[in-house]
Amino acid sequence: MLQKIEHYEDKMTYYTDLAMGYATEYGLKILGALLIFFIGKWIARKIVALMRKGMERTRVDPTLISFASNALYVALIIIIIVTAISNIGVETTSFVAVFGAAGLAIGLALKDTLANVGAAVLIIFFRPFKVGDFIEASGVMGNVKSINLFSTTLTTTDNRSIIIPNGALIAGNIINYTGNLTRRIDMTFQIDYKDDLKIAKEVVMKVLQSHEKVLKEPEAVVAVGALERDGVQLIVRPWVAVDDYWDVMFEITESIKLEFDKHKITVPFPQMDLHLKKEDL
């Protein structure tokens, strides 16, 4: 009976020592893994916060800021988790292989969709345009209403919404009409050959100089563009602030017509002279 008790106590001591050994060894590893995870998560949040502040300072679209921040945070968390697991002693090579295979499969299945997302990332960093700009791209023109992960929405001057995939948008030329602070208005007028050319140029220049929204620098240009069949072509090119472009163009066109009327300057129009000849029967 005493031998059985001693034998039982020997086994208990053995298993107790074994459990204590495992607890000590793996407990420290688990504690280290937890420290790696929580400290790494804190660092990841700080990195994402710094990136958000930088993007907000450059006035990147809020939707794209959210996407980029979430994507970076998820990537950092995956790295932190893999690092924490490897600290415990678990082989992470298989996990990396699984993630790689899954990423490849998803990438092939969503190739076109991911291309649009990649294009959105390019728009973030290169900023060819921003929300509110008036652009021409993919054969259409309009104000940029919104930019999301997959497409950009334009609002045309007649209030139509046009949705363009980001991939198609950056694949061609992009003309940003409001990318600069100032813009030149290119206008063309015609006067009759019988009218005084110098007086016509003076009238046009006075209209430009008297308009408060026409910029003094760069200086406006009024010149003869061509001698057309129906009259003399005048090229008129004033500079204005981007926001004043359409208003100034309409106002100047009306003012020049009224001044031409005051000074008896004729705006010719296409016409045809018919000469009838009577033949003797």
Side-chain angles (χ1 to χ4, degrees):
M1 186 69 179
L2 291 174
Q3 291 179 352
K4 289 183 179 180
I5 293 175
E6 290 176 358
H7 183 64
Y8 174 76
E9 290 178 349
D10 291 339
K11 282 186 176 182
M12 287 296 296
T13 302
Y14 170 76
Y15 287 120
T16 301
D17 293 341
L18 185 63
M20 290 295 294
Y22 279 118
T24 302
E25 180 181 357
Y26 287 100
L28 292 175
K29 290 183 177 180
I30 292 173
L31 180 60
L34 292 174
L35 289 174
I36 291 173
F37 177 77
F38 288 110
I39 294 176
K41 189 176 180 180
W42 179 81
I43 294 174
R45 287 178 176 173
K46 292 294 183 181
I47 294 174
V48 171
L50 288 174
M51 188 190 74
R52 289 183 68 94
K53 288 182 180 179
M55 295 176 72
E56 288 171 354
R57 287 175 183 173
T58 55
R59 298 181 181 178
V60 178
D61 186 80
T63 302
L64 297 180
I65 293 177
S66 178
F67 161 72
S69 300
N70 292 335
L72 178 60
Y73 184 72
V74 170
L76 292 174
I77 289 298
I78 291 174
I79 295 173
I80 293 168
I81 291 175
V82 171
T83 304
I85 292 174
S86 64
N87 185 74
I88 299 175
V90 178
E91 183 60 42
T92 58
T93 305
S94 58
F95 287 97
V96 175
V98 170
F99 284 131
L104 179 61
I106 294 173
L108 292 175
L110 303 175
K111 179 177 61 176
D112 295 335
T113 302
L114 292 177
N116 291 327
V117 175
V121 174
L122 293 178
I123 293 173
I124 290 175
F125 290 102
F126 292 102
R127 299 189 67 202
F129 56 84
K130 62 182 183 299
V131 173
D133 284 350
F134 188 85
I135 69 171
E136 178 180 354
S138 299
V140 295
M141 301 172 62
N143 286 294
V144 180
K145 181 179 180 181
S146 63
I147 306 170
N148 58 42
L149 303 183
F150 307 106
S151 63
T152 296
T153 301
L154 303 184
T155 301
T156 62
T157 53
D158 56 351
N159 205 31
R160 292 178 297 158
S161 293
I162 301 177
I163 301 173
I164 307 173
N166 289 329
L169 186 65
I170 67 169
N173 295 330
I174 300 174
I175 303 175
N176 191 340
Y177 291 98
T178 54
N180 299 318
L181 297 177
T182 60
R183 184 179 172 189
R184 190 183 71 187
I185 303 177
D186 292 346
M187 311 176 73
T188 303
F189 299 92
Q190 277 193 344
I191 63 172
D192 196 280
Y193 279 106
K194 298 178 182 179
D195 295 327
D196 191 314
L197 178 60
K198 291 184 178 180
I199 293 178
K201 292 177 64 177
E202 290 176 359
V203 167
V204 174
M205 186 59 75
K206 286 181 180 178
V207 170
L208 299 181
Q209 292 175 347
S210 62
H211 200 291
E212 60 180 4
K213 293 184 179 179
V214 174
L215 301 178
K216 305 301 180 182
E217 292 291 337
E219 188 177 357
V221 173
V222 179
V224 176
L227 301 178
E228 302 287 352
R229 185 183 66 177
D230 301 315
V232 180
Q233 182 187 82
L234 291 181
I235 301 296
V236 181
R237 293 178 175 176
W239 287 83
V240 297
V242 170
D243 294 337
D244 298 330
Y245 180 87
W246 293 107
D247 291 339
V248 174
M249 185 179 70
F250 296 145
E251 291 169 3
I252 286 179
T253 301
E254 180 179 348
S255 298
I256 289 177
K257 175 60 173 67
L258 295 174
E259 290 299 317
F260 277 178
D261 292 342
K262 288 182 182 179
H263 292 80
K264 307 300 181 182
I265 298 174
T266 306
V267 178
F269 55 89
Q271 55 186 333
M272 180 181 296
D273 294 331
L274 296 178
H275 299 277
L276 301 178
K277 182 178 180 182
K278 182 178 180 181
E279 297 182 357
D280 296 333
L281 297 177

